[in-house]
Structures are given as C-alpha cells and as structure tokens.
Amino acid sequence: MPKHQLEPKNWVQRYSDYLYNYTVARVNDSEMAKDLVSETFLSALKSMANFKGEASERTWLISILKRKIIDYYRKINSTKGKAEVRINYNDDSDGDWLEERVSDPFDTTAEDSLTNSELGDAIMHCLEKLPEKQAKVFKMKTILGYETDVICNELNITASNLWVIIHRARNAMAKCLEKNWL
C-alpha cells in the first residue's frame, strides 16, 4: 500500500470547508469553528515531520482537529471542575505540545483509547435519546457518511428536510454530550 503524502499548499482549498462543517457541528459557534480550523492547519504544519503516511491527509487533519475540539471543551468547562490539560514542556511554553507529538491517528495511547471508548458510549447514550427519525438521519449522515441523495431516497425526504433534521439532531447531540460527557 503506497504511503500518503502531505501537500500543505492545497489544504485550505481541499479541506477547509469539510473541516469547518465538521467543527461547527460540534462547537455550534461559527467564529470558534474558524479559529479551530486555522489552529489545526498551523499545528499540522508544525508536526509535518511526524506524519508517517499511513493515513490520508484528511484523516490526519481530522485527528488533529478532534484534539483541538477536545481541548476547546476542556478549556471552557474548566470552571466546572474539568482540568485543562497542561504539560511541562522543555521551554515552559504553551505551544501545541500535543500536535507536535502526534504522528498519525493510528499511533494511539491508552488514554486516547479510553477517551474514544468513553466518547463512543456517550454518543450512543445520546443517540438513544433522540427521536427515531433524527437518530436515523444522524447515524446515516454523520456516523456512516452516507451521501445526502442516498439518505433522501431511502427515507423519502427532501434535501432541505434532511438538513433541518440533521441540524436539530446535532444540536440535541451537542447539548446531551455537553451534559453527559464533558
């Protein structure tokens, strides 16, 4: 299997819309989503030497973005007793220490596995609380990655109806995850 290559000069054109949509669905704040995507690109540039090529560019960028989103929620929830993750760095800077250590999403630690397991359980718990149609649309679009036209044909709904349903489902999921996981 050939190794994937990084092409940072194409990142904004190829991935910014996807990363933005991914982020805004999770943070419900357009400006914060833009900031997190920008931070993701900067962190990726800093950690390019760690890219092993086992994952695609997009998968690697998403793995960095997910960590940015988790850090964002840790920071805003620190007043609720959630500790912000800090590390003593050689130069005591608040740099992007995590991304500098990240190579690929396949290079995970036990903490990553535990976090992913806890998040997975929280997502399933929150999915069960959604109305049936919202849950089905959310699973098909967000988890299974079905195309809009496939979902619309299977559920006999319009594209605009799909986006209303997915918007409501994402909002409900975000509130539920904030309450039950963060």
Side-chain angles (χ1 to χ4, degrees):
M1 184 167 144
K3 294 225 177 223
H4 296 277
Q5 300 293 316
L6 294 178
E7 296 180 34
K9 67 180 186 257
N10 297 321
W11 287 351
V12 172
Q13 179 187 0
R14 286 184 184 162
Y15 308 115
S16 60
D17 287 343
Y18 179 82
L19 296 175
Y20 171 78
N21 289 332
Y22 180 92
T23 307
V24 81
R26 284 152 181 81
V27 299
N28 264 349
D29 180 335
S30 178
E31 291 305 311
M32 181 51 62
K34 289 175 188 176
D35 289 347
L36 290 171
V37 171
S38 295
E39 289 176 25
T40 297
F41 286 140
L42 289 173
S43 295
L45 285 171
K46 290 179 185 177
S47 61
M48 284 176 55
N50 296 327
F51 182 75
K52 294 178 185 171
E54 295 171 6
S56 70
E57 261 183 336
R58 186 172 104 163
T59 300
W60 185 66
L61 289 169
I62 285 287
S63 72
I64 294 171
L65 177 60
K66 285 178 181 177
R67 293 172 190 275
K68 292 287 181 192
I69 293 169
I70 289 169
D71 286 346
Y72 163 75
Y73 276 110
R74 283 182 178 153
K75 195 175 289 185
I76 65 171
N77 287 301
S78 63
T79 58
K80 296 179 186 174
K82 304 290 184 191
E84 183 177 351
V85 176
R86 297 226 179 255
I87 190 168
N88 290 330
Y89 213 46
N90 291 340
D91 62 358
D92 292 326
S93 72
D94 285 332
D96 295 317
W97 58 270
L98 189 57
E99 286 76 19
E100 290 172 10
R101 292 179 36 216
V102 167
S103 57
D104 271 334
F106 302 105
D107 185 21
T108 59
T109 65
E111 182 183 350
D112 292 334
S113 297
L114 179 61
T115 299
N116 287 341
S117 174
E118 290 171 351
L119 177 58
D121 291 344
I123 288 171
M124 294 312 290
H125 171 77
C126 291
L127 265 173
E128 291 170 2
K129 293 182 176 278
L130 289 178
E132 186 178 344
K133 192 168 195 172
Q134 279 185 10
K136 188 168 190 164
V137 168
F138 183 86
K139 284 180 199 173
M140 292 173 79
K141 186 70 179 164
T142 307
I143 297 173
L144 301 173
Y146 286 14
E147 295 294 326
T148 299
D149 57 338
V150 172
I151 299 169
C152 290
N153 287 337
E154 188 168 321
L155 300 179
N156 197 26
I157 59 175
T158 65
S160 59
N161 190 8
L162 169 87
W163 291 111
V164 168
I165 294 169
I166 200 75
H167 175 73
R168 289 178 180 160
R170 285 176 176 163
N171 284 339
M173 289 291 291
K175 287 177 185 170
C176 181
L177 287 171
E178 189 171 328
K179 180 180 173 186
N180 295 298
W181 186 64
L182 297 173

